[in-house]
Amino acid sequence: MAKIAIIDDDPDILDASGLVLTSQGHEIVTATNPDDGYKIVMDNKPDLIILDVMMNEPDDGFFLAQKFRKEKIFTPIIMYTSVSKSIGMDFGVNEMVPVDEFVEKPISPEQLIEKVEKLLHTEAGR
Amino acid sequence: MGEKYKPKILIIDDEKGIRDGTKRLLESEGYSADTASNGEEGIYAGTTVEYDAAIIDLKMPGIDGIAVLKAILKSRPNTVCIIATGYASYETAVESTSYGAFGYIPKPFTSDELLQKINQAVYKRQLLLESEKWKKEREERLLEVAFEKTRLNTIINSISDGLLVVNKEGQAVLFNPSALKFLGVENILIEEQVIDRLPEGISSLIYKFLRSGKYEKTTYSARLEPSNTTDLFIEAAASAVPHHDGSLAGVVVVLKDITEMKKLEQLKSQFVSMVSHELKAPVAAVYGYLQLLDNSSISLTEEQKKNYLKRSQLRLDSVLKMVNDLLDISRMEMKTITREIKEIQLGSVVRNVIEFLSLEINKQNLNLKLELDEPIPTVNADMEEITRLFINLLSNAVKYNKPGGSIEINIFSSGGFAAARIKDTGIGLMPEEKEKIFHEFFRAKNEMTKDISGTGLGLSIVKRIVDSYAGKVEVESEFGKGTAFTVYLPVNTEAGISIKEKEILTDNN
């Protein structure tokens, strides 16, 4: 089983996503802002990070992801998005947006579990 | 038409015989003739009356013929003068013509010689008059053209749209100051080869016409983004200018500054995406909970289930509140709110609001102090709006306060304003938050605010209401200590908008 960090400013999303993943036997650490998010990742060294793109600022999650990569933290990242496309930030997985998967909110438990398992397996296979 | 025009001839001669004989001859030939017997008389007659022609004897006692000729021509340049002389010689002829005489006639002369000369003179006179007329007309027309041109230039220079005309050779023909500004060009010289100095988007428009070389009745348009020479968004439309014969004369480019429109467009889409985000977040949260409750593979305790239902309800409440706030904002913006303006005592409004919020105030165990300065100021406003304003401010003071904290409300007059200051002992604002506090959807986010629900629209509604009454709202705050909002509303004078809306209201009734 894996350790997963969820960073999102919406406590209800943390709650629901956390529960879905703990039901799968994963260990969850959470944070509601980029600063705390950075801290829990550094402290807990999770196997996977779930990161909301829009926290205080519309691109907080995006910058946090870049910061991780810059500091050679290559933990796989799933990015939660909601309306980023309509603000003109048409994300794709690339060097500038160094995440492994995008998920548009809301997400069903099955989808979340599937994406998480997929990334954890590729990671294990690396 | 009246009688046939009789050309008027003046005869100036000191010999009576010649005077009378010539006069008789001319009159019999259909001329009208006057006589003068010396230079002095001759000058007088020839300058006071416009004669068609004059015959001037060269040798006269006193003032001679040349002096008379000069005097007459000076004041009547179109009177055709003939010099009559008994000493006809080449020199006299040259001399007299050099002073402006039309010709000379040697004395003595025959009737035929005289009549021929006079006929020529009258014909010359006609030519002179005609050319004078043309000259005058031409001058008038030139003046008119010049005037027309200045007027056109003034008009073109004063329009706010940019205008640039180039001819078929690509030379600048006409432009106005706005065009220079919009194109980001310092100056253009008339007849300068200008196309390649223009932004690429514009030059390619012009080339479309110049390459074909033919007049076509099409308009091409392009949009220019801000560049290093100008920070404006410009919309350009280029059309061909035809010659009279329908061939291509040049191209006219009209430039419109659409920067403001672009900004509004941007604001609009920002607002739309903010709204979508704010609405989607609670929907996603509720969706997440419902999925959990519905999922048989995830086992939940009864307490968890209850909690998730309660959370879902709270989030849906917030969506509802937000939609209502948004509708209010949109009504305010579209000015479809029907106001009922009447005299309102701020004290009684605030008392009602306190009453309305008393449950929350007691729940938080807050100490509330209301101070009213006498006389209690009144404003002319819509009761519902002012109540809304104070509900938003006071509920913030309650929501963001610490348990057992206090709220101080002062109502007082200040200049021409009725003022209300609401001070809490709550979380307070960081300096950078103070600037954004009235923006739509802005909410201070920190450890202490995370469990406080809000739409992020309350203060933006406060600001809109205050602005619509030409008032102002000020905020003082210290992070960790508390915040004070002071609202100023114009006293007893109906602010511009209010008056207008009241009039509209009465009109509609």
Side-chain angles (χ1 to χ4, degrees):
Chain A
M1 293 300 105
K3 193 189 276 183
I4 300 170
I6 314 177
I7 306 163
D8 194 314
D9 65 338
D10 191 323
D12 291 326
I13 295 290
L14 289 182
D15 221 6
S17 302
L19 192 83
V20 169
L21 296 174
T22 42
S23 78
Q24 298 296 303
H26 298 300
E27 186 189 334
I28 302 299
V29 281
T30 60
T32 53
N33 62 60
D35 291 342
D36 292 350
Y38 179 73
K39 217 183 284 162
I40 60 163
V41 169
M42 300 314 273
D43 292 349
N44 296 287
K45 308 259 182 289
D47 304 299
L48 181 76
I49 301 167
I50 296 175
L51 185 53
D52 184 39
V53 71
M54 190 164 178
M55 284 179 272
N56 289 330
E57 300 293 327
D59 44 10
D60 271 352
F62 167 69
F63 283 116
L64 186 55
Q66 276 193 332
K67 191 174 172 187
F68 286 142
R69 298 301 186 242
K70 234 178 262 164
E71 300 191 5
K72 311 279 177 220
I73 298 165
F74 295 108
T75 314
I77 298 175
I78 294 177
M79 189 162 268
Y80 273 171
T81 67
S82 48
V83 288
S84 29
K85 267 180 195 155
S86 65
I87 338 175
M89 294 198 288
D90 206 352
F91 291 130
V93 179
N94 62 35
E95 245 176 80
M96 291 299 291
V97 192
V99 304
D100 302 82
E101 188 73 79
F102 282 92
V103 168
E104 175 100 7
K105 280 191 208 171
I107 180 170
S108 71
E110 292 79 11
Q111 269 179 298
L112 180 60
I113 292 166
E114 187 205 313
K115 301 250 183 204
V116 166
E117 296 305 327
K118 199 182 103 195
L119 271 185
L120 285 175
H121 279 105
T122 26
E123 187 57 14
R126 269 184 199 178
Chain B
M1 294 284 254
E3 263 177 68
K4 190 173 175 265
Y5 174 70
K6 286 182 172 178
K8 283 193 299 207
I9 315 294
L10 175 63
I11 305 152
I12 309 167
D13 203 308
D14 57 332
E15 280 178 59
K16 190 177 177 347
I18 292 183
R19 281 204 307 272
D20 294 347
T22 308
K23 181 174 159 75
R24 260 201 314 279
L25 175 69
L26 290 177
E27 281 174 349
S28 73
E29 288 294 328
Y31 295 95
S32 123
D34 291 330
T35 56
S37 56
N38 58 48
E40 211 163 69
E41 276 178 27
I43 290 174
Y44 178 76
T47 54
T48 46
V49 178
E50 173 88 16
Y51 284 97
D52 291 293
I55 306 166
I56 307 165
D57 186 20
L58 184 66
K59 286 271 182 264
M60 288 185 289
I63 303 169
D64 74 350
I66 296 291
V68 175
L69 170 77
K70 284 188 199 165
I72 291 178
L73 285 181
K74 196 176 166 198
S75 72
R76 303 280 174 183
N78 292 325
T79 297
V80 179
C81 297
I82 298 161
I83 297 295
T85 170
Y87 309 92
S89 68
Y90 183 69
E91 286 76 23
T92 7
V94 170
E95 196 193 353
S96 57
T97 47
S98 77
Y99 290 120
F102 169 61
Y104 73 98
I105 181 165
K107 273 163 88 171
F109 40 74
T110 65
S111 316
D112 286 347
E113 280 169 344
L114 177 71
L115 286 174
Q116 194 193 0
K117 214 59 193 178
I118 290 291
N119 273 336
Q120 286 173 359
V122 168
Y123 180 63
K124 168 76 179 172
R125 159 84 176 176
Q126 276 170 2
L127 292 180
L128 276 178
L129 288 184
E130 220 155 279
S131 95
E132 170 133 308
K133 193 176 129 207
W134 283 117
K135 206 172 126 193
K136 218 167 138 190
E137 269 180 22
R138 187 162 170 267
E139 272 170 6
E140 273 171 7
R141 203 170 308 149
L142 278 175
L143 218 80
E144 215 170 283
V145 167
F147 176 65
E148 202 49 52
K149 218 173 156 183
T150 351
R151 196 162 57 177
L152 191 66
N153 271 336
T154 314
I155 293 170
I156 288 173
N157 284 347
S158 70
I159 54 177
S160 56
D161 283 357
L163 184 87
L164 169 70
V165 182
V166 297
N167 62 17
K168 218 164 59 178
E169 281 73 43
Q171 297 169 318
V173 177
L174 185 72
F175 61 89
N176 65 1
S178 299
L180 296 181
K181 187 174 142 207
F182 294 170
L183 294 168
V185 182
E186 279 276 305
N187 193 24
I188 294 177
L189 300 172
I190 294 293
E191 287 184 33
E192 178 187 341
Q193 283 292 343
V194 77
I195 304 179
D196 293 326
R197 280 181 59 202
L198 304 177
E200 208 265 322
I202 303 291
S203 54
S204 64
L205 286 187
I206 298 174
Y207 277 130
K208 275 186 189 165
F209 291 104
L210 296 191
R211 284 215 184 92
S212 87
K214 277 184 219 130
Y215 172 70
E216 44 184 316
K217 221 175 160 182
T218 333
T219 299
Y220 295 114
S221 61
R223 281 192 176 186
L224 297 185
E225 306 259 315
S227 63
N228 46 6
T229 48
T230 160
D231 48 6
L232 302 171
F233 285 90
I234 301 297
E235 187 168 72
S239 318
V241 182
H243 276 303
H244 286 299
D245 62 2
S247 65
L248 180 71
V251 179
V252 56
V253 183
V254 178
L255 305 148
K256 205 185 267 295
D257 179 1
I258 55 164
T259 314
E260 281 308 305
M261 201 186 82
K262 275 279 178 189
K263 275 189 194 158
L264 286 177
E265 249 173 46
Q266 212 176 345
L267 278 179
K268 193 205 75 190
S269 30
Q270 264 172 14
F271 186 77
V272 168
S273 59
M274 285 300 286
V275 170
S276 326
H277 181 264
E278 297 300 320
L279 290 176
K280 198 171 176 184
V283 169
V286 172
Y287 183 89
Y289 284 140
L290 289 179
Q291 293 270 0
L292 280 180
L293 291 166
D294 191 38
N295 197 307
S296 49
S297 65
I298 299 167
S299 58
L300 298 171
T301 65
E302 279 309 304
E303 198 187 336
Q304 273 176 319
K305 283 183 191 165
K306 227 183 201 171
N307 183 37
Y308 293 160
L309 284 173
K310 202 185 110 205
R311 291 293 308 168
S312 301
Q313 211 155 13
L314 277 175
R315 297 301 296 258
L316 286 179
D317 272 350
S318 84
V319 176
L320 205 61
K321 246 189 233 163
M322 197 179 295
V323 171
N324 283 334
D325 281 354
L326 286 170
L327 285 174
D328 273 358
I329 287 177
S330 130
R331 271 200 291 268
M332 271 180 234
E333 282 191 341
M334 295 195 299
K335 301 244 179 352
T336 53
I337 288 181
T338 35
R339 284 176 159 171
E340 201 182 313
I341 307 290
K342 56 182 183 191
E343 197 171 47
I344 294 176
Q345 253 212 1
L346 287 191
S348 63
V349 178
V350 170
R351 277 204 193 92
N352 289 340
V353 171
I354 293 171
E355 181 64 37
F356 179 73
L357 295 171
S358 58
L359 205 71
E360 325 285 320
I361 294 171
N362 292 335
K363 215 157 80 184
Q364 288 245 60
N365 197 19
L366 297 173
N367 174 27
L368 193 129
K369 206 164 96 191
L370 172 61
E371 251 177 50
L372 299 161
D373 277 12
E374 296 287 341
I376 300 161
T378 61
V379 292
N380 288 325
D382 178 82
M383 181 60 109
E384 224 172 282
E385 282 185 348
I386 300 301
T387 306
R388 179 71 193 259
L389 189 161
F390 283 108
I391 285 181
N392 287 6
L393 285 177
L394 208 57
S395 65
N396 275 356
V398 175
K399 266 197 305 196
Y400 295 99
N401 222 318
K402 58 177 176 232
S406 67
I407 299 174
E408 260 175 60
I409 305 171
N410 290 298
I411 293 175
F412 55 97
S413 297
S414 165
F417 293 91
R421 186 163 187 268
I422 297 166
K423 187 168 175 284
D424 65 47
T425 54
I427 294 159
L429 296 164
M430 309 282 250
E432 67 270 18
E433 292 171 339
K434 241 159 71 173
E435 291 164 24
K436 299 183 191 160
I437 195 95
F438 295 107
H439 294 184
E440 279 102 18
F441 299 117
F442 176 81
R443 293 197 65 213
K445 280 184 185 171
N446 53 53
E447 272 309 301
M448 290 169 280
T449 61
K450 71 174 181 188
D451 292 326
I452 301 169
S453 79
T455 60
L457 292 171
L459 286 177
S460 103
I461 290 173
V462 165
K463 177 127 173 64
R464 276 163 203 264
I465 293 174
V466 169
D467 284 348
S468 75
Y469 286 101
K472 59 177 175 178
V473 51
E474 286 172 356
V475 54
E476 310 152 63
S477 185
E478 200 177 325
F479 186 69
K481 291 210 166 152
T483 306
F485 286 97
T486 313
V487 170
Y488 298 87
L489 294 167
V491 160
N492 262 347
T493 50
E494 296 180 17
I497 286 175
S498 323
I499 293 170
K500 238 165 71 191
E501 289 189 6
K502 196 183 179 191
E503 280 167 2
I504 293 165
L505 216 73
T506 7
D507 284 353
N508 289 344
N509 287 346

